[in-house]
Amino acid sequence: MAHHEGDFDYVIVGAGTAGCVLANRLSADPSVSVLLLEAGGKDDYHWIHIPVGYLYCIDNPRTDWRYKTTAEAGLNGRSLGYPRGRVLGGSSSINGMIYMRGQRQDYDGWAQATGDSGWSWDAVLPMFTRSEDHHGGANAWHGVGGEWAVRKQRLHWKILDAFAQAAVQTGIPATEDFNRGDNFGVSYFDVNQKGGLRWSAAKGFLRPAAKRPNLTIMTGAHTTRLMFAPTMHGAEGSGSAAARCCGVEFVGAGELRFARARREVLLSAGAINSPQLLEVSGIGDPDRLARLGIPVVQPLRGVGENLQDHLQLRMSFKVSHVTTLNTMSARWWGKLAIGLRYAFLRSGPMSMAPSQLGAFAHSGVDPEGRADLEYHVQPLSLDRFGEPLHAFDAFTASVCLVRPTSRGSVHIVSADALVAPAIAPNYLSTDHDRQVAAKAIQLTRRIVAGAALAPFEPVEYKPGSAFQTDAELAEAAGAIGTTIFHPVGTCRMGRRDDPDAVVDAHLRVIGVDGLRVVDASVMPTITSGNTNSPTLMIAERAAAMILAGDTHDAKLLVAGAPQGVEEPAGEARAEALTSN
């Protein structure tokens, strides 16, 4: 028999970026009780907090779900590792720490898709600034005093400075800020760090809230099923519904448990686990559920569909007459110098995000003329993450297709929620994406041929200069393409009469009362850039809508100055829950 964990006003499934924000904002009201369930453990692994430690967190069962994709035809039959955070803070505890919002048109497109102007760029900008603590101070685009630390990086590399100059010579302008709605340009990325340490959602949002008596946080709690009760009429504004989500079932400490939700269950398990939980609980395509013997609670054919991700093409170039991390870290004295610099100054290679220099560029394919390529440039090269750096000096120019038209899926293969779902991103499955990939390789070659890089005599190592024709470039893209870890869209929001929508503009699951999805899975289309901070913004808006009772425009709730950051002040309970 399942153990009853208790009744709560809100039950949040997943302590990733969205879940941490929701837990903070909802528990700020002392009259409500909140339960936050996280399948992973505490964020007390030291490599989470040292920026370069992502190398030791990805593909580590302590912090990563370690998913795999199905064999991808567009990647020449390869299957990819698909990292997802499995720890307090979720993927914000293992990601590249890049602070990026995307483009104005991304959000205006969401507003059009949902019929809700509250998702437009002008409406969501206050949601970004509310939680922000930006190094440049408060202005029309940024906020200060919030929980989400945004800092400049604490290092420069000669080879990256030269790449930036070469990009300018190729027609990509220098920029001081990627986050004003048009990210076309080249610059060093801003990062979510503080004092040379990673700043995760767990640090920024969960740790301050953890000491509140009305917030209960459980780690090692793997949600296995959503619980429903029949209902004759739906919640105000949501239309009639056949069922109401009244709680969740989960496995914790080796036993089956359940918790009831008096008001709502908030599913924030991410673009992989949220559709998985909906399907195992009976919400999804009826035919798919029937094949697995799962009774249908609500037929929604869009569950698990619309998967989008940014494919990166990792091009690497050997260089001469300049030091890169490849050779700097190859000798014991180099490693010692790197370690001492970080220990005393919190700077140098150990403080660096996986990618330091960024650029947004035009492939020439996009009919709207928007930047559709994003560069992540690194002073290193390796065959794949987890393998040693090359023995020669080199840099990597990873170029991402940030407005892909390929669509994939995430679907369960078992009624057991402990069995990983099938993840099929379907990369490079459209002529558009294959054409953009070819143009991306050609543009990268033009940048590298620029005068600013000439003193370093770059020689293309991957994919290699032998690939020249369109067909050869498509083959090359399939050989070097890999995920940059930005899956979204699998529970997409839309108008309530859209047969492919899973949630409405207020993120309520269509046809079910008491259940919302609040994470990256609700994006109708992927943002044109890194997806972590947009996910944080989605949670901010969801919390505002919940607190407003869905009765008026939630942006009114964030019209004032950003809230200050609460410090844990050595609180024993908070430290025990989210120690670093």
Side-chain angles (χ1 to χ4, degrees), residues 328 331-343 347-349:
M328 180 183 293
R331 299 172 179 83
W332 70 266
W333 58 86
K335 291 184 176 70
L336 178 62
I338 290 170
L340 290 174
R341 186 176 177 186
Y342 186 74
S347 66

Side-chain angles (χ1 to χ4, degrees), residues 427-471:
Y427 297 116
L428 299 176
S429 59
T430 65
D431 290 338
H432 171 276
D433 289 1
R434 289 189 292 272
Q435 186 179 5
V436 173
K439 296 292 186 183
I441 294 173
Q442 292 169 341
L443 175 60
T444 308
R445 287 171 173 171
R446 290 200 299 274
I447 294 172
V448 174
L453 280 165
F456 309 115
E457 302 173 6
V459 175
E460 185 173 327
Y461 179 69
K462 287 285 182 72
S465 58
F467 298 92
Q468 293 293 331
T469 69
D470 286 349

Side-chain angles (χ1 to χ4, degrees), residues 299-359:
L300 287 175
R301 72 185 191 192
V303 173
E305 294 294 305
N306 193 48
L307 174 63
Q308 299 159 60
D309 190 13
H310 292 144
L311 182 72
Q312 62 168 331
L313 309 179
R314 292 184 57 81
M315 300 181 67
S316 55
F317 298 84
K318 293 183 177 181
V319 289
S320 303
H321 319 301
V322 66
T323 300
T324 67
L325 190 61
N326 286 11
T327 55
M328 180 183 293
S329 62
R331 299 172 179 83
W332 70 266
W333 58 86
K335 291 184 176 70
L336 178 62
I338 290 170
L340 290 174
R341 186 176 177 186
Y342 186 74
F344 289 101
L345 301 175
R346 286 290 187 265
S347 66
M350 288 186 70
S351 73
M352 73 184 194
S355 301
Q356 299 84 55
L357 183 75

